[in-house]
């Protein structure tokens, strides 16, 4: 059959010529990435692991349902802030002013896809909403790698860009952040896009072009970054200083991105000022983390407790933060040795002028981020920290680190091709070791949930036990807001404050239940319970309080091995809805 023979011959020729081979390699790469995504999502994911992730997700659900940027998570400090500025607490307490607006908006898009599963049943082990948020986060990560490829290709070459992207895809820490519910992968996408615009602006500066257009894009990128996480403003300030020094004319080059940034970010500040009387909203109090109390300790108070806290405490906090960050820098960069090579790469002079410039502006932004992280703190939950920005810089640093390593290898003048392949393979092996340990070393009996302290079914049951107009107090209000979809107040620092909020109807709704978990109890030592930030509640936590004298007389044990307890004004466990 001549026709069939010709077809086979042409196909072989196409394959040998490389056209078909390229598409086969691309299809294979897509298949591997998809398999890796499913492996993490289906085998490693155990539900959202951080309070930030759950908090932003429950706001996202409100946005998806048409309720705007509202929240079911109430902080005592927000109540005090509203009262001090003469605002109506019942009317405005449900308006969130702590979180940046963009992550909940992205979560809302993901949650629209599982709208029929917004209410979690106590019979479910896992929540579809968790899976939707994590899947969207993975999508942001993969999209950020695509943007990274185009940035690296412009700064270096196509081959290095592909290898750098492959190394980033093997970084286990980034995948773990994708599953946490935190906005780091969204930040990564926006930062990579912003650096791409910076690179294009530098090219236009050196070779002639529309510098102003790309600087406007840079300002837009930083505006979106700030709307994702306010800590990135520190990165923007550092970048703006370098931009103003490098581009010509200096003042106008700095003004362009600043104006675009302000146009994007200022409406959110105006909105917060209107709601709370402070443009920083409730988030402004995060600055006082580790100043006499942790951020959680400050948020659980009606008034900020900074009595006797002078500049020395802030100085010590910043010094301690910088020391801690550099002591754990390998960990913060995701155990990525190639990304760590960004530091010695600062000593090498790259051929492309725009690559040289981008390297220095990345360094400036990183230093700005370190300063911001030192001031605000890096409290971790389940190995992830909401303020951790090092991991966001890791992909860009990987590009420069890999370029530096290639330069050093070329200086050895080893012409043996297999040796170069072995060198690259060694780099891939070292970067992928944490991922290998994740899958190989995973215990077979590992729980399917993030316990301790979260058991979603035992939290979801509160949706049936509480009415929509009731508020419960808890040491994990973000989880109740997310899994139970019920308003929850962070347990105030004292029982007296709790009683006053209830007696004076401060929230405009009843406060007649309390849900305590290992966060305040079994995860702490006896000394922590008796002397720590929940010391006023120690009798309730240790369950030594006399029920008859306690205003909430009915107690129901929940959770794994009954480590959670739900106090109420009446026995709500008799509710017709099935308990887990």
């Amino acid at each position: 059959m001549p026709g069939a023979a010709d077809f086979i011959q042409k196909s072989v020729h196409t394959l040998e010529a490389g056209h078909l081979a390229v598409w086969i390699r691309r299809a294979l790469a897509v298949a591997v990435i998809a398999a890796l995504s499913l492996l993490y999502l289906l085998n490693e994911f155990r539900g959202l692991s951080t309070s930030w992730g759950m908090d932003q997700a429950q706001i996202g659900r409100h946005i998806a349902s048409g309720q705007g940027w509202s929240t079911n998570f109430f902080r005592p400090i927000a109540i005090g802030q509203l009262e001090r500025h003469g605002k109506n607490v019942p009317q405005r307490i449900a308006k969130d002013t702590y979180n940046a607006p963009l992550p909940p908006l992205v979560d809302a898009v993901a949650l629209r896809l599982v709208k029929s599963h917004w209410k979690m049943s106590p019979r479910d082990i896992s929540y579809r909403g968790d899976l939707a948020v994590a899947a969207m986060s993975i999508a942001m990560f993969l999209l950020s790698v695509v943007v990274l490829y185009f940035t690296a290709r412009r700064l270096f070459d196509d081959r290095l860009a592909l290898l750098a992207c492959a190394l980033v895809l093997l970084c286990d820490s980034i995948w773990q952040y994708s599953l946490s519910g935190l906005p780091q992968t969204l930040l990564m996408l926006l930062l990579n896009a912003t650096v791409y615009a910076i690179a294009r602006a530098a090219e236009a500066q050196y070779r002639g072009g529309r510098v102003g257009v790309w600087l406007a894009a840079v300002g837009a990128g930083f505006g979106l970054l700030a709307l994702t996480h306010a800590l990135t403003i520190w990165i923007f300030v550092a970048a703006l200083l370098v931009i103003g020094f490098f581009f010509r004319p200096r003042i106008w080059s700095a003004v362009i991105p600043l104006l675009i940034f302000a146009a994007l970010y200022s409406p959110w500040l105006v909105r917060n000022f209107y709601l709370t009387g402070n443009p920083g909203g409730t988030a402004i109090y995060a600055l006082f983390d580790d100043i006499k109390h942790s951020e959680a300790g400050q948020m659980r108070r009606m008034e900020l407790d900074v009595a006797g806290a002078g500049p020395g405490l802030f100085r010590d906090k910043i010094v301690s933060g910088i020391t801690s960050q550099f002591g754990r820098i390998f960990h913060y960069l995701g155990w990525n040795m190639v990304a760590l090579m960004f530091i010695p790469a600062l000593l090498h002079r790259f051929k492309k002028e725009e690559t040289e410039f981008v390297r220095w502006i990345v360094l400036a932004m990183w230093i700005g981020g370190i300063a911001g992280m030192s001031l605000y703190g890096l409290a971790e939950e389940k190995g992830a920290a909401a303020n951790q920005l090092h991991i966001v810089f890791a992909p860009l640093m990987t590009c420069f680190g890999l370029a530096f390593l290639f330069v050093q290898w070329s200086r050895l003048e080893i012409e043996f091709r297999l040796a170069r392949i072995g060198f690259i393979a060694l780099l891939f092996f070292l970067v992928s070791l944490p991922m290998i340990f994740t899958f190989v070393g995973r215990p077979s009996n590992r729980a399917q949930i993030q316990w301790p302290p979260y058991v979603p079914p035992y939290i979801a049951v509160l949706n049936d036990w509480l009415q929509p107009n009731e508020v419960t107090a808890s040491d994990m209000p973000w989880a109740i807001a997310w899994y139970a979809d019920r308003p929850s107040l962070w347990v105030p620092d004292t029982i007296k404050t709790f009683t006053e909020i209830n007696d004076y109807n401060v929230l405009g709704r009843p406060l007649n239940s309390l849900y305590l978990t290992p966060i305040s109890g079994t995860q702490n030592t006896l000394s922590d319970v008796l002397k720590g930030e929940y010391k006023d509640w120690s009798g309730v936590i240790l369950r030594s309080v006399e029920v008859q004298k306690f205003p909430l007389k009915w107690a129901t044990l929940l959770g794994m091995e009954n480590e959670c307890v739900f106090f109420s004004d009446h026995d709500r466990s008799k509710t017709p809805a099935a308990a887990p």
Side-chain angles (χ1 to χ4, degrees):
M1 298 177 63
D6 291 343
F7 175 76
I8 294 174
Q9 186 176 0
K10 288 181 180 179
S11 298
V12 172
H13 176 72
T14 302
L15 182 60
E16 290 176 346
H19 301 297
L20 185 58
V22 169
W23 284 105
I24 291 175
R25 287 196 295 269
R26 289 174 180 173
L28 183 61
V30 170
V32 170
I33 294 171
L36 195 58
S37 301
L38 290 174
L39 194 61
Y40 269 98
L41 198 59
L42 301 180
N43 285 4
E44 287 301 307
F45 186 57
R46 297 182 293 150
L48 301 184
S49 60
T50 63
S51 57
W52 262 53
M54 294 180 198
D55 188 16
Q56 292 181 344
Q58 60 96 12
I59 297 170
R61 186 169 55 200
H62 283 159
I63 296 172
S65 62
Q67 300 176 57
W69 272 270
S70 58
T71 180
N72 277 333
F73 176 11
F74 305 155
R75 296 169 175 83
I77 196 72
I79 297 174
Q81 183 184 46
L82 292 172
E83 289 181 338
R84 285 189 296 275
H85 289 90
K87 306 294 183 180
N88 187 310
V89 175
Q91 185 184 70
R92 301 197 178 186
I93 189 61
K95 300 295 183 182
D96 180 73
T97 60
Y98 178 85
N99 294 280
L102 206 51
L105 188 61
V106 172
D107 287 344
V109 175
L111 290 169
R112 288 289 298 179
L113 302 177
V114 292
K115 185 176 180 179
S116 60
H117 299 279
W118 280 356
K119 181 179 179 180
M120 182 181 181
S121 169
R123 297 186 182 91
D124 296 331
I125 297 298
S126 59
Y127 180 36
R128 293 281 185 88
D130 282 349
L131 197 63
V133 170
M136 177 61 80
S137 186
I138 288 177
M140 294 294 103
F141 170 41
L142 298 180
L143 191 55
S144 76
V145 174
V146 173
V147 177
L148 178 70
Y149 167 75
F150 288 105
T151 304
R153 188 176 69 168
R154 186 164 291 276
L155 294 175
F156 302 101
D157 56 48
D158 187 71
R159 185 166 174 272
L160 185 140
L162 286 172
L163 290 173
C165 289
L167 285 170
V168 171
L169 286 169
L170 291 176
C171 184
D172 179 70
S173 292
I174 299 179
W175 286 99
Q176 297 298 341
Y177 267 93
S178 298
L179 302 180
S180 69
L182 293 174
Q184 264 66 9
T185 55
L186 178 58
L187 288 171
M188 203 175 294
L189 169 62
L190 294 172
L191 181 64
N192 290 349
T194 302
V195 171
Y196 177 83
I198 291 173
R200 294 300 302 268
E203 285 181 10
Q205 177 75 9
Y206 283 117
R207 294 171 178 78
R210 304 177 68 180
V211 178
V213 173
W214 288 110
L215 288 179
V218 170
F222 279 116
L224 293 174
L225 279 165
L227 289 171
T228 302
H229 199 314
L231 195 58
T232 58
I233 294 175
W234 289 80
I235 296 175
F236 173 59
V237 171
L240 197 63
L241 292 175
V242 178
I243 289 172
F245 179 80
F246 172 76
F247 289 98
R248 299 293 186 276
R250 289 181 176 176
I251 295 178
W252 185 241
S253 297
V255 167
I256 292 175
L258 181 61
L259 288 176
I260 300 298
F261 172 87
L264 283 173
Y265 194 60
S266 57
W268 186 251
L269 298 179
V270 172
R271 178 250 188 197
N272 288 342
F273 182 79
Y274 169 74
L275 290 174
T276 67
N278 189 307
T282 308
I284 195 69
Y285 298 112
L287 179 65
F288 299 92
D289 174 44
D290 208 25
I291 302 298
K292 294 194 67 176
H293 307 281
S294 67
E295 180 185 338
Q298 296 286 12
M299 292 291 174
R300 291 176 49 239
R301 297 170 179 272
M302 294 283 282
E303 294 186 7
L304 196 64
D305 181 17
V306 291
L313 279 179
F314 282 96
R315 178 203 60 209
D316 294 343
K317 176 185 175 181
I318 293 172
V319 171
S320 174
I322 293 174
T323 304
S324 174
Q325 286 180 67
F326 280 105
R328 304 184 66 195
I329 192 62
F330 194 25
H331 164 70
Y332 287 141
L333 287 175
W335 307 105
N336 187 336
M337 186 200 73
V338 179
L340 194 62
M341 289 298 103
F342 172 79
I343 298 174
L346 296 171
L347 302 175
H348 174 71
R349 184 176 181 84
F350 292 99
K351 292 181 180 179
K352 287 186 177 181
E353 294 171 314
E354 58 269 24
T355 304
E356 275 282 292
F357 171 71
V358 170
R359 175 186 58 177
W360 293 115
I361 200 169
V362 168
L363 174 64
M365 291 190 295
W366 185 41
I367 292 173
I370 290 172
M373 287 182 278
S374 300
L375 187 59
Y376 281 84
L378 280 173
E380 289 191 349
E381 299 177 74
K382 298 285 187 177
N387 290 340
Q388 215 273 65
L389 298 182
H390 295 287
I391 197 71
V392 179
F393 282 94
L396 290 166
M397 290 181 170
T398 298
C399 297
F400 285 96
L402 185 61
F404 174 73
L405 289 172
F406 280 170
V407 170
Q408 301 311 307
W409 176 264
S410 65
R411 288 177 178 174
L412 295 177
E413 298 182 352
I414 300 176
E415 302 297 335
F416 190 40
R417 187 169 181 268
L418 285 179
R420 182 180 177 85
I421 294 174
F423 171 65
I424 296 173
L426 178 62
L427 294 179
F428 273 77
F429 173 72
L430 292 175
V431 172
S432 65
L433 266 178
M435 179 180 287
I436 295 172
F437 291 148
T438 292
F439 293 117
V440 175
R442 181 167 62 89
S444 58
N445 61 343
R446 188 183 65 170
Q448 298 179 11
I449 55 176
Q450 293 286 356
W451 174 264
Y454 305 110
V455 187
Y458 288 102
I459 302 172
V461 72
L462 300 184
N463 181 274
D464 298 311
W465 291 1
L466 298 169
Q467 296 300 315
N469 65 331
E470 292 181 309
V471 182
T472 186
S474 177
D475 53 10
M476 58 161 63
W478 49 87
I480 293 175
W482 175 232
Y483 292 116
D485 195 15
R486 287 290 182 259
S488 184
L489 172 72
W490 209 340
V491 173
D493 59 324
T494 66
I495 296 178
K496 179 184 177 183
T497 303
F498 172 87
T499 304
E500 289 176 351
I501 292 174
N502 182 55
D503 291 349
Y504 291 103
N505 198 27
V506 173
L507 297 174
R509 359 184 178 178
L511 184 61
N512 42 24
S513 58
L514 173 68
Y515 186 70
L516 297 178
T517 74
I519 289 180
S520 58
T522 54
Q523 278 189 312
N524 303 293
T525 64
L526 182 61
S527 177
D528 289 334
V529 174
L530 297 177
K531 300 178 182 179
E533 293 182 345
Y534 286 91
K535 62 184 178 182
D536 201 65
W537 293 88
S538 59
V540 183
I541 294 169
L542 298 173
R543 302 172 196 176
S544 60
V545 65
E546 294 184 33
V547 177
Q548 297 305 317
K549 295 182 179 180
F550 192 59
L552 305 175
K553 304 183 186 303
W554 276 266
T556 304
L557 297 178
L558 294 168
M560 310 292 285
E561 300 181 356
N562 293 327
E563 293 189 65
C564 303
V565 59
F566 179 74
F567 293 95
S568 181
D569 56 347
H570 65 274
D571 187 1
R572 295 170 184 260
S573 62
K574 304 295 185 182
T575 302

